[in-house]
Amino acid sequence: MTALVASSAAAQSPAERYPDKPIKIIVPFAPGGSTDVLARVIGQKMTESWGQPVIVETRPGAMTIIGTAAAAKADPDGYTLIIVVSNIVTNPALNPTMPYDAIKDFEPVSLLGRAPIVIYTHPGFPPRNLKELVALAKAKPNTLNFGSAGTASMTHLTAELLKIREGLEMTHVVYRGGSPALNDVLSGQIPMTFATVIQALPQYQAALVRALGVAAAERHKSIPHVPTFREQGVDIQVMEWYGLLAPTGTPKPIVAKLNAEMRRILALPEVAERLAAIEMLGSTPEELGTFMRSELDRWTPIIKQLGLKAE
């Protein structure tokens, strides 16, 4: 009987056996950010469902290029995955010699969610809304610093669009992810950061930071008292999005298994509650691939117009 069981298992394809060992999810940001939180919630649910450990590995640096390059070069067997955000399609416009192709070197698995961008400030910073911030920036050009998750991230691009629309001169302080930028706001090193709504939600709820505006079409349910940019006279709408990718060449049956698992996890009420600040959105692999190509086409000319360069 033991021999028959062993023979049956050996006859199964890798896709049929998948997963039969630990899975690694790379997060190309510093620990503690929204992407890290999302990865750990998803990883826990995968472990509960499949009985295999899911290890979250944070590999920040070089505007997420270090971690993303590692994922691109990993074995295409489904055991190394990466959660990316919008800058996977903005980085190519900044770097003429990328170590990977954002489209060709990855197999899309599923869109995971999206979240609007918010201006979070130190509570001692005088402006209490977007209008007051604009007025102060105009009165004191080149004196206000702001943080973001990195050059050409959606958080940074939101700030640059605001500067263009309102004719502001503010200085971008580059960080290796949203968490270090938020930490410097909390300590008073910089007065504000542009971040996803989830990035500083606990700190906002504890009154450790103030929120001046939400770059979305409507107010966000997590911070309902904070008006949108549009309500304050500036029509800017920018969403950070999250997607799960695998190295190109990962077998389609494994991609299909992962996609089905993502859809299951994203539909769980406890996941929606745990990640209430992120609008959970699943997709087919094909839908994510089409979306990524459209985002690449959308933001590349804007980045070039702004003259942004890798730092």
Side-chain angles (χ1 to χ4, degrees):
M1 178 64 71
T2 302
L4 288 174
V5 171
S7 176
S8 175
Q12 289 182 316
S13 69
E16 291 172 323
R17 296 196 302 270
Y18 181 85
D20 60 2
K21 63 181 181 179
I23 297 169
K24 177 170 66 178
I25 298 178
I26 294 176
V27 171
F29 290 102
S34 58
T35 313
D36 183 41
V37 173
L38 177 60
R40 293 181 191 282
V41 170
I42 288 175
Q44 178 186 355
K45 293 301 178 182
M46 291 171 70
T47 296
E48 293 172 0
S49 174
W50 285 347
Q52 292 293 342
V54 176
I55 302 162
V56 176
E57 180 180 301
T58 54
R59 299 193 65 172
M63 301 183 302
T64 73
I65 293 175
I66 291 175
T68 309
K73 297 173 183 176
D75 291 336
D77 56 8
Y79 291 97
T80 299
L81 309 170
I82 183 169
I83 293 184
V84 299
V85 298
S86 312
N87 74 348
I88 191 165
V89 294
T90 58
N91 276 341
L94 299 170
N95 300 273
T97 56
M98 292 284 288
Y100 54 84
D101 186 295
I103 303 299
K104 295 179 181 179
D105 288 344
F106 295 96
E107 297 284 350
V109 175
S110 178
L111 187 67
L112 300 176
R114 63 184 184 182
I117 307 304
V118 176
I119 304 176
Y120 286 112
T121 71
H122 187 276
F125 189 49
R128 292 182 171 273
N129 53 53
L130 183 57
K131 289 185 177 181
E132 291 182 4
L133 171 62
V134 169
L136 179 62
K138 287 184 175 180
K140 298 182 177 181
N142 291 315
T143 62
L144 301 183
N145 297 333
F146 67 90
S148 78
T151 301
S153 62
M154 289 299 108
T155 53
H156 178 213
L157 290 173
T158 304
E160 294 296 339
L161 289 177
L162 176 62
K163 288 168 60 179
I164 291 172
R165 297 280 179 86
E166 298 300 312
L168 308 181
E169 296 179 4
M170 302 188 299
T171 302
H172 180 216
V173 180
V174 182
Y175 289 89
R176 296 171 60 184
S179 294
L182 174 61
N183 289 338
D184 273 6
V185 171
L186 292 170
S187 66
Q189 296 299 310
I190 58 173
M192 59 183 157
T193 187
F194 288 70
T196 59
V197 63
I198 192 176
Q199 181 73 60
L201 186 58
Q203 291 83 357
Y204 170 78
Q205 293 170 334
L208 297 176
V209 294
R210 185 182 293 140
L212 304 191
V214 184
E218 299 176 348
R219 296 193 183 196
H220 197 272
K221 61 182 180 180
S222 297
I223 49 175
H225 301 298
V226 180
T228 65
F229 281 30
R230 177 186 287 180
E231 287 179 87
Q232 301 181 76
V234 183
D235 190 10
I236 294 176
Q237 299 176 41
V238 182
M239 288 280 186
E240 180 69 277
W241 56 267
Y242 307 81
L244 184 68
L245 307 180
T248 192
T250 301
K252 296 298 183 183
I254 290 179
V255 172
K257 275 190 176 182
L258 285 164
N259 179 266
E261 179 67 359
M262 290 307 105
R263 287 172 174 265
R264 182 193 71 82
I265 291 172
L266 296 175
L268 294 173
E270 63 266 30
V271 171
E273 182 178 351
R274 175 69 177 84
L275 299 167
I278 297 178
E279 180 185 359
M280 310 310 295
L281 291 172
S283 74
T284 66
E286 294 75 19
E287 287 169 341
L288 176 55
T290 298
F291 175 69
M292 287 177 62
R293 288 188 290 272
S294 69
E295 285 288 279
L296 183 69
D297 293 340
R298 174 192 180 193
W299 289 107
T300 295
I302 293 176
I303 292 169
K304 290 182 178 179
Q305 177 187 347
L306 292 169
L308 300 179
K309 304 294 182 182
E311 298 184 25

